Amino acid sequence: MPTFAASDGTGLAHQVLGDGPPLVCVPGGPGRAGAYLAGLAGAVGGRSLVVLDNRGTGASEEPADPESYRMERLVDDIEVLRAHLGLERMDLLAHSSAGNTALLYALRRPERVARLVLLAPSTRAVGIGVEDFEEALARRADEDWYESARAGIKGWLGAPTIADSLPHREQAAPFFYGRWDEAARDHARAETAELSAPAAAGFYADVTLDPAEARADAAASATPVLVVTGELDPFPTPATGQRLAALFPHGQSYVQPGAGHYMWLDDPEALGAALGGFLARPV
C-alpha cells in the first residue's frame, strides 16, 4: 500500500482501486479504516479511487500527538495527500464524519478542489443538526429487527466511551442499511476490526470550529458540491443533506431511494449514475 509522510512526520497510507482519473476518497467512522469504502469502486466506473487511511487507522501510523486526531487537524492530511499525488486540483469524496474534514478543506483551499462529493455527511462543521432523527428511526418500525436495533441506538448514545459503544453500534447497525441482508451484516461486523478507538475518540475532542464562519464561506464558494443521502438513513437524514447542499451556490442534493448510510451496498447502479453525472460536469 503506498505511503507518504504527513506534515508532522506521521506515515499515512492509501490504496488505489480501479482505473482512470483519480477520485480522492476520505473515510469516516470516525476512526474507521478505508477498507469499508472498497465497495464504492463498483459504483464509480471509469475512475481510480484513492482511498486514504486516516492517521491511526488501517495501514497508517498512530501520531505522536493524540490531539492531531481532531477533525480540523485532519484537513492538513488531505492537502499533503493531494501534493503527494501530484494533483493541481482534485475531485474529492468523503463519507460520513469525513464530510466535515473534506468540507473544511474545500472551504480553505477552493483552488485545489474541482468537485466535492459528500456521501451521508456529518454536518457538525456547519452547525446543522439532524432534527428528524427520531422520525427516521420510526419509519423502520415494521422491520423485524426494530426493537433490538432501537435498544442498540439507546445504548450507543448512552455509552461513555467509544470502546463502550462498539457492541451497541453493531446492534444498532440495521438502521444504517437499506437492506439488512448478509452483505450488510458482514459490512457491519467488520467495523469493530476496522475502527481505531483513539482516532474515533480524538476526532471530535476539543474541536475549535466556527460554524457561522463555515456557513458564510460556503455561501461564497464556487465549488460544485453534491450531497448524497440515503432515503432511510437516520443520521444524516435526507432533510439534513438538503440543508447542507443549500448552503452552497452550486450545491445539489441527491436522495437515493431505499438506501441507508452505505448507499453503495444498497444500489451501486443508482449511486453510480448520480456520481457519474456530477463528476462529468465541466468545471
Side-chain angles (χ1 to χ4, degrees):
M1 186 177 289
T3 60
F4 61 99
S7 58
D8 63 355
T10 302
L12 302 181
H14 66 85
Q15 60 179 319
V16 180
L17 306 172
D19 298 303
L23 173 63
V24 176
C25 302
V26 186
R32 191 168 179 179
Y36 83 95
L37 291 177
L40 264 176
V44 186
R47 304 295 295 256
S48 60
L49 274 56
V50 180
V51 181
L52 175 68
D53 275 344
N54 287 309
R55 54 182 51 223
T57 73
S60 291
E61 295 178 354
E62 295 183 1
D65 181 6
E67 291 190 2
S68 69
Y69 283 127
R70 291 202 315 269
M71 79 162 74
E72 64 266 39
R73 169 60 186 79
L74 296 181
V75 172
D76 182 60
D77 291 346
I78 298 176
E79 170 61 9
V80 178
L81 173 58
R82 179 203 62 78
H84 168 73
L85 296 171
L87 300 174
E88 187 68 23
R89 299 177 77 202
M90 61 181 171
D91 288 332
L92 180 62
L93 178 150
H95 178 251
S96 196
S97 58
N100 292 297
T101 49
L103 187 152
L104 291 173
Y105 177 84
L107 295 178
R108 294 176 186 178
R109 298 181 179 272
E111 75 282 0
R112 299 302 190 189
V113 180
R115 306 170 190 85
L116 176 63
V117 178
L118 302 174
L119 299 183
S122 167
T123 51
R124 186 175 297 200
V126 292
I128 295 176
V130 182
E131 298 176 353
D132 53 344
F133 177 67
E134 291 293 336
E135 292 90 334
L137 296 180
R139 284 198 292 270
R140 312 295 295 274
D142 291 337
E143 301 280 4
D144 58 9
W145 45 257
Y146 177 79
E147 293 298 336
S148 173
R150 194 70 180 83
I153 289 285
K154 182 178 180 180
W156 182 355
L157 296 178
T161 68
I162 293 294
D164 291 325
S165 76
L166 288 178
H168 304 292
R169 290 161 74 116
E170 187 169 341
Q171 186 180 2
F175 279 115
F176 297 92
Y177 296 86
R179 294 186 309 276
W180 188 234
D181 55 14
E182 196 56 39
R185 292 185 182 92
D186 289 344
H187 193 263
R189 280 192 292 263
E191 182 180 34
T192 299
E194 294 169 350
L195 194 75
S196 160
F203 186 78
Y204 290 120
D206 301 318
V207 294
T208 55
L209 296 173
D210 186 341
E213 180 181 0
R215 290 194 298 270
D217 290 342
S221 173
T223 303
V225 179
L226 174 65
V227 179
V228 181
T229 50
E231 178 188 18
L232 301 177
D233 193 354
F235 200 91
T237 60
T240 309
Q242 288 162 354
R243 290 177 63 195
L244 175 60
L247 295 179
F248 292 86
H250 303 284
Q252 63 185 86
S253 168
Y254 170 65
V255 179
Q256 185 171 316
H261 198 69
Y262 307 97
M263 56 279 293
W264 57 92
L265 293 178
D266 296 313
D267 191 341
E269 291 185 0
L271 178 61
L275 295 184
F278 176 75
L279 293 172
R281 290 175 51 181
V283 292

